[in-house]
Amino acid sequence: MSSTKINLLFLLPLFFMACGGNTDPSQLFEIQFEGNKTEFKKNELVNISIANKKEKKIDQVTYYINNAEVAVVDNKIKFNLPQLGAKTITANISYDGGNVEISKEIKLLAEKAPEIYTYEIINEFPHDPTAYTQGLEFYNDTLYESTGRKGHSSLRKVDYKTGKVLQKIALEDQYFGEGITIMNDKIYQLTWQSGVGFIYDLNLFKKIDSFKYNQSKEGWGLCNDGSKIFKSDGTEKIWILNPDTMAEEGYFETVTNTSIFNRANELEYVNGKIYANVYQKESMMIIDANSGAIEGVVNFGGLKNKVTQHPDLDVFNGIAYHPERKTFFVTGKNWDKLFEVHILKK
């Protein structure tokens, strides 16, 4: 190779660096918040600035959070986003005839700590102690139940007053049944790790279709608000599903005033709130179905002690709201009782 070619190969990178073509934007600028904070409460007003590391002449800065432009007035930003959780804030910076983008990861948390609730037992009803309860939902005073474990999973139609199973569809042995919800004369049922769910005709009580998961990897709980379906998957995300296509059209994250929380399991929707079993705990979260803020926690401590103790007894799981009685029905995996309860502020 000639010395001329060697000199050109050496000079080309220097040329591009001089033109800004190879410059790392983080070496020029950085997004800074007062106190170097990266966690903020909803509606918090915070000072924001750009650290100009090389003293470039900045012409304009535009800020975005998750690709949506946000207003900055007098170097202050108000975190009044509709949904909480992990976010990416990006600054688009015009300077010296060029343009770069820099980003920073932040967390947007709830304004207030969750309120604490307890429960009052109104009634106790028999429940099949062999049912590994994964989903519960009422429709026209009839209880529908999904049970889990491979080789034992099922969808059931139950007379809640007697505990009698009126109809039952067994899942194939490779499936581990999970949450259910009922909408538009259909029952939707998840499986745990198989990446597939099932759709049943409510009136015929017969499987008519199946659907595959998209970005979510597992199936945990389901509920609906009459127009869309909410799905938990064992992470901090609650996915929003289109009931016609079962496509995941977005998600929000469940958060408190101190952290992003990832233990939502079985779900029930009531008046703008999602009630969710806390995985492996005797408690239930009350989640705002728009923002993801965990507004309350119901302590169901002691309930498990009120059922027959046996070797297969497992955790508290299963929430069903009865709209006519305006009460909740709760149980657990392999519990022999179904409890009708009122939720009370402590």
Side-chain angles (χ1 to χ4, degrees), residues 2 35 39 68 76 92 101 142 151 182 185 195 248 264 272 283 286 297 318 335 341:
S2 70
E39 294 186 359
K76 291 182 182 292
N92 186 296
E101 284 192 346
T142 298
I182 300 170
D185 292 325
E248 294 162 0
S283 59
I286 304 173
V297 176
W335 289 21
V341 300

Side-chain angles (χ1 to χ4, degrees), residues 125 133-139 141-146 160 180-182 222-223 266-270 275-277 284 300 316-332 338-343:
F125 300 101
T133 304
Q134 297 291 79
L136 283 181
E137 189 155 337
F138 273 105
Y139 186 84
D141 203 41
T142 298
L143 185 65
Y144 292 80
E145 181 171 12
S146 174
Y160 73 90
I180 57 170
T181 196
I182 300 170
L222 284 180
C223 66
E266 215 269 304
L267 308 179
E268 183 80 356
Y269 179 92
V270 185
Y275 293 75
N277 279 119
M284 181 171 74
F300 277 99
F316 170 69
N317 196 54
I319 312 163
Y321 181 73
H322 197 299
E324 287 76 30
R325 298 164 75 104
K326 301 189 185 309
T327 55
F328 285 89
F329 286 69
V330 296
T331 188
L338 175 72
F339 297 93
E340 183 179 13
V341 300
H342 274 141
I343 294 172

